[in-house]
Amino acid sequence: MPALAPRLGGGPYNTAIALGRLGSPAAFCSRVSTDAFGDALLAGLRAAGVDVRHVQRGDEPTTLAVASIGADGSAGYSFYIDGTADRLFSAPSRFPDGVRAMSFGTCSLVLEPGATAYEQLMRDAAEHGVCTVLDPNIRSGLIPDADSYRDRFRGWLPSVTLLKVSEEDARWLGGTPQEWLASGPAAVVVTRGGDGLRVYTRGGVEVSVPGVAVDVVDTIGAGDTVNAALLHALDARDALSADAVAGLGADDWETVLRFAARAAAITCSRAGAEPPYARELHEA
């Protein structure tokens, strides 16, 4: 049996860490255990400059995911989720001042009762004009009823500004970027592993960029890094709104996607979810 090496992680958590390391003002809104793992998660957020004032705490244990790394660096997961702290998240009664974008996804939108709370938070954010990013990041082993989840996913789309999916997620979910755009999102970004990224927008723009070649250690956190890089680059263009996202031209999207591809490649070059710092992208 290989030795277990603890790593901090979780989809939205990794996105928050990546945003902080890129220099974007970021806050994390979830529920974290008071156990040693939970303390370590909070310490990681603080080290990245992420605001943790909105984190809820609970005595329940931390959710654990055991990753098995394949020869190509891809990861398979086993989850330990029964009675864990994060799934008992409750939506805050009001948004913090100054929130311009919120990112959702992965297990948090599967595990009840927290999934319903996050879903309501996403709908409320959209109604308040907040830019919403959805990364389903499908973990099929956690989804007992695939058809019901797919229906639920389609019900989220009217509240989504930017949808990001991997090619694998897209195949599992069914549908096409054009169909999803017709349901609400201003843009759909599809990640294609080493082959790069492609965007489709409501305004009719379609742009692809290649991946960045690196020696892959593992792919853990690469998609989460893409989420953060997209938000960071869109914010730099004052494009954190549905109209602005839909209105970006091909040249802007090419720059945004190339930035995201470089950031993800750096994450893939090291073990665990270790997103890059801004200085590493400037040096690349």
Side-chain angles (χ1 to χ4, degrees):
M1 296 285 292
L4 296 180
R7 302 280 182 176
L8 303 177
Y13 179 90
N14 298 335
T15 296
I17 294 288
L19 280 166
R21 291 184 177 184
L22 291 174
S24 284
F28 188 60
C29 183
S30 185
R31 193 169 187 272
V32 173
S33 176
T34 55
D35 65 15
F37 290 134
D39 290 343
L41 288 166
L42 283 183
L45 291 166
R46 292 189 182 103
V50 177
D51 185 343
V52 297
R53 288 177 295 172
H54 311 291
V55 172
Q56 303 163 21
R57 304 297 301 271
D59 293 336
E60 304 81 17
T62 297
T63 293
L64 299 179
V66 178
S68 301
I69 309 302
D72 61 352
S74 62
Y77 296 92
S78 298
F79 292 93
Y80 298 83
I81 58 171
D82 289 343
T84 50
D86 56 305
R87 64 187 301 172
L88 298 179
F89 169 81
S90 57
S93 58
R94 61 181 296 273
F95 294 120
D97 294 336
V99 172
R100 292 175 294 132
M102 299 185 76
S103 182
F104 299 86
T106 316
C107 307
S108 60
L109 286 170
V110 175
L111 303 176
E112 295 291 4
T116 294
Y118 280 113
E119 178 179 310
Q120 187 58 54
L121 183 60
M122 180 165 58
R123 297 189 192 283
D124 290 346
E127 289 177 5
H128 282 79
V130 174
C131 176
T132 55
V133 177
L134 174 62
D135 175 12
N137 199 4
I138 300 298
R139 302 289 181 238
S140 59
L142 293 177
I143 301 174
D145 187 333
D147 288 338
S148 291
Y149 181 89
R150 292 180 181 114
D151 288 341
R152 196 169 185 179
F153 162 76
R154 287 189 287 270
W156 295 330
L157 294 180
S159 300
V160 174
T161 306
L162 174 63
L163 173 66
K164 195 227 76 180
V165 294
S166 68
E167 285 185 315
E168 295 82 1
D169 290 343
R171 286 193 291 269
W172 191 93
L173 288 164
T176 67
Q178 290 76 17
E179 291 171 350
W180 298 329
L181 286 169
S183 296
V188 176
V189 172
V190 180
T191 60
R192 302 179 294 153
D195 293 329
L197 300 93
R198 177 175 295 156
V199 67
Y200 307 81
T201 78
R202 191 191 302 159
V205 172
E206 184 176 332
V207 175
S208 297
V209 302
V212 175
V214 292
D215 292 328
V216 175
V217 175
D218 66 51
T219 62
I220 297 173
D224 310 320
T225 299
V226 169
N227 297 338
L230 292 172
L231 279 167
H232 182 81
L234 290 172
D235 186 31
R237 286 159 179 77
D238 194 25
L240 291 181
S241 71
D243 288 344
V245 169
L248 282 182
D251 290 345
D252 275 327
W253 272 114
E254 181 175 355
T255 302
V256 168
L257 294 183
R258 287 187 182 278
F259 178 76
R262 284 163 43 218
I266 292 173
T267 301
C268 290
S269 72
R270 44 209 191 194
E274 288 292 343
Y277 293 86
R279 64 178 180 272
E280 295 178 277
L281 288 163
H282 293 152
E283 293 166 357

